[in-house]
Amino acid sequence: MDHFRYRGSELCAEDVPLSRIAREVGTPAFVYSSAAFEGRLSAFDRAFAGVPHLVCYSVKVASNLALLAKVARAGLGADIVSGGELFRALRAGIPAGKVVFSGVGKTAAEIAEALEAGIMMFNVESGPELDLISRIARDKGKRAPVALRVNPDVDPGTHPYVATGLKESKFGVPIGEALGLYARARDDAALEAVGLDCHIGSQLTSVSPFVAAVGRLKALLASLAGQGVKVRFLDLGGGLGITYDAETPPGPAEYAEEIVRAVGREDLVLVLEPGRVVAGNSCVLLVGVLYEKVTPEKRFVVTDGAMNDLIRPSLYGAFHGIVPVAENGGVPSPANVVGPVCESGDFLAKDRPLPPVGPGDLLAVRSAGAYGFSMSSNYNSRPRSAEVLVEGASFRVIRARETREDLIRGENI
Ligand code: LLP
C-alpha cells in the first residue's frame, strides 16, 4: 500500500498533508512514512519466517537513528560497512551480536572496535584483511567470527556502478581462492569461520541472479565440508529491487520462496541484508519550486532541491517520479527539473511531463528513501536537508536541517 496518496487534490504522507510539513519545516525535506518503513521491514522478515534467518538491515541505505531504532524494536540486525555505521547501529539499540560487517577497506581501528563490541561476524573481503583480523584478535585474546565474502561472478543485470558480484569487481574474494582462505581460518586459533557471504549487486529486478549465486555458494559449502569447515550462517547480502518507474521486481515473498528453495537446507541460518526494498519507497523528497525558466530550447523547473540532496539521477541516470503536491489540473508538458547547483549534471529529472508550476509550489520526488539522504552532501555549501518522520496524523523532525554554523564546524582560518 502506498502511504503517499492524494486526499482530494493534496498529496499526503499517511494523514499529513505535505504542504503542512513544508510550512513548518521548510524545503527541501526528506519525508519518511513510519508505516511504510515498518511495513516493508516486517514483510521482508515475515517472508523468511519458515526458515532460521536473521534480517540485517543495510545501514548505508538510510541511517537515521529513528529508522535504525525501528529495526532494533523489530528485533532485527544491521549490515554495516564502517565504524561510523557500527556507532549508529549500537546507539539505536541494535545488539552487536546481530551486526555483520562488510567492506573491502576495513581499518585496524574499525576491526578493533567491532571486535570489542562483539559483532556477529566480519564479512572478509581479502586474504590480507583476514590476516589483519587474526592479528588484532590474537592481541586482544579474542576469537574473531569470520565469513568470507566470495565473488560468485554472477551478472545481476543492474547499473554497472551497483553490480558487485562480477569477477572484475573489487568486492569479495574470487570463489576459487575461498577454499584456501577457509583452510587458513580453520587452522588459526584467533579465527572462527562461522559463515559464507556474498552480495552480488543492488536494484535487481529478477530472482535468477540470486539463485545462480546460491548455486555457486552451495557447491563451495560442499567442498568446505569436505575439508572440515562447517559454517552456521549463509549470508546472501541485499539487492532486491523496487519500482521507481515501470520495473516489476518480485516482492519479498516470491524472492524468499525462490531463495529458500534454492538453498534447500535448514541447518543454516540465512542472513539477508535488505536496504532499498525497505526504505526506497518509504520516503519522498519534498522540494519547493523557485522559478520556471523557459528558454527557446527547454522548459526548466528550478527547485530548491538539488544533486547534493539526491545524487542518484546525476550519478546513475536514475529515474525518480516527480509529482506536484497540489494537483492543479494544468496540462503537463515536458520539463527538466533542476537544482541551484553549479553543474549541468545537477538535475532531478529530464524531459518529465509536469503541469504548469510557479514559485512556491511544491513537488514530491518519489522513491527517495534509499541512498537519498545518506548520499547527500554539502556541495556548493548547501546545508543538508531536514529529515521528517510521519506517524499517522503527526510528524516530527528526526534530523534538523543543517545550519550555516554546521557548514563550517571544525574549520579553522
Ligand atoms: N549488503 C552489502 C554488502 C551492500 O554492499 C549493499 C549495498 C547492501 C547490502 C544493500 O543493498 P540493497 O538491498 O539496498 O540493494 N548507491 C546506489 C546503491 C549502492 C549499493 C551499495 N551496496 C544507489 O543509489 O542505487
Side-chain angles (χ1 to χ4, degrees):
M1 178 171 142
D2 193 352
H3 294 273
F4 299 91
R5 273 175 305 167
Y6 286 96
R7 302 260 169 101
S9 60
E10 261 232 288
L11 188 60
C12 296
E14 300 190 23
D15 299 330
V16 180
L18 287 171
S19 58
R20 194 178 130 208
I21 296 176
R23 228 171 17 249
E24 293 181 27
V25 179
T27 53
F30 285 87
V31 180
Y32 300 86
S33 153
S34 186
F37 187 90
E38 286 176 0
R40 293 190 166 104
L41 192 61
S42 70
F44 193 93
D45 188 39
R46 264 198 322 274
F48 287 91
V51 295
H53 74 281
L54 178 65
V55 169
C56 292
Y57 170 75
S58 191
V59 172
K60 67 172 82 69
V61 175
S63 29
N64 189 288
L65 288 181
L67 301 177
L68 299 182
K70 291 181 183 298
V71 175
R73 278 198 294 274
L76 306 181
D79 152 53
I80 61 161
V81 290
S82 70
E85 289 189 349
L86 176 62
F87 171 75
R88 279 185 179 279
L90 297 179
R91 183 60 71 88
I94 296 173
K98 291 183 178 172
V99 171
V100 295
F101 190 177
S102 307
V104 293
K106 302 176 188 78
T107 66
E110 287 175 323
I111 292 168
E113 210 179 324
L115 262 176
E116 286 298 340
I119 65 163
M120 180 174 126
M121 68 183 179
F122 291 88
N123 287 338
V124 179
E125 306 222 12
S126 67
E129 182 193 329
L130 192 66
D131 293 340
L132 181 60
I133 293 175
S134 162
R135 222 166 35 245
I136 295 172
R138 203 173 325 116
D139 288 351
K140 289 186 178 296
K142 290 187 185 286
R143 199 148 182 240
V146 294
L148 281 190
R149 175 172 175 180
V150 298
N151 184 330
D153 191 23
V154 166
D155 184 356
T158 61
H159 190 285
Y161 290 5
V162 298
T164 48
L166 284 167
K167 62 177 182 301
E168 59 268 29
S169 128
K170 71 174 177 178
F171 295 100
V173 298
I175 204 156
E177 288 173 26
L179 278 180
L181 289 176
Y182 272 108
R184 242 153 83 185
R186 179 198 56 204
D187 300 337
D188 185 334
L191 299 176
E192 187 189 5
V194 295
L196 172 61
D197 168 53
C198 79
H199 168 79
I200 58 174
S202 196
Q203 183 55 14
L204 274 73
T205 51
S206 139
V207 192
S208 46
F210 292 112
V211 170
V214 168
R216 298 197 179 166
L217 263 48
K218 276 177 74 177
L220 178 58
L221 283 174
S223 313
L224 283 177
Q227 64 177 42
V229 179
K230 194 166 178 321
V231 299
R232 289 200 291 286
F233 302 114
L234 180 61
D235 183 342
L236 297 174
L240 184 56
I242 62 168
T243 302
Y244 285 95
D245 186 7
E247 306 91 332
T248 52
E254 188 187 333
Y255 163 82
E257 194 183 313
E258 297 215 23
I259 287 204
V260 167
R261 184 176 326 121
V263 172
R265 31 194 286 196
E266 300 227 336
D267 57 330
L268 292 166
V269 177
L270 276 187
V271 178
L272 294 312
E273 304 171 356
R276 190 189 311 266
V277 69
V278 175
N281 277 322
S282 303
C283 169
V284 298
L285 171 61
L286 184 59
V287 300
V289 173
L290 300 174
Y291 306 100
E292 185 170 41
K293 173 174 169 177
V294 181
T295 71
E297 295 302 317
K298 279 261 173 247
R299 172 185 176 214
F300 294 99
V301 172
V302 186
T303 73
D304 57 13
M307 67 186 289
N308 73 295
D309 302 300
L310 181 68
I311 201 175
R312 301 192 71 259
S314 306
L315 190 57
Y316 313 114
F319 177 98
H320 284 262
I322 301 187
V323 292
V325 166
E327 281 183 318
N328 61 17
V331 179
S333 67
N336 281 11
V337 182
V338 302
V341 163
C342 299
E343 303 245 5
S344 292
D346 175 29
F347 59 88
L348 298 173
K350 283 193 165 168
D351 298 319
R352 190 66 61 75
L354 274 184
V357 288
D361 286 349
L362 298 167
L363 298 174
V365 184
R366 288 189 165 272
S367 317
Y371 310 100
F373 184 85
S374 66
M375 289 181 84
S376 67
S377 78
N378 291 125
Y379 188 39
N380 277 204
S381 286
R382 290 168 49 84
R384 281 186 293 169
S385 300
E387 291 184 288
V388 172
L389 183 66
V390 173
E391 289 172 302
S394 63
F395 70 89
R396 64 195 168 95
V397 174
I398 54 172
R399 192 177 203 274
R401 182 180 309 288
E402 287 181 347
T403 64
R404 293 281 157 77
E405 288 301 320
D406 290 332
L407 284 178
I408 56 168
R409 174 153 308 131
E411 291 183 27
N412 298 304
I413 288 181

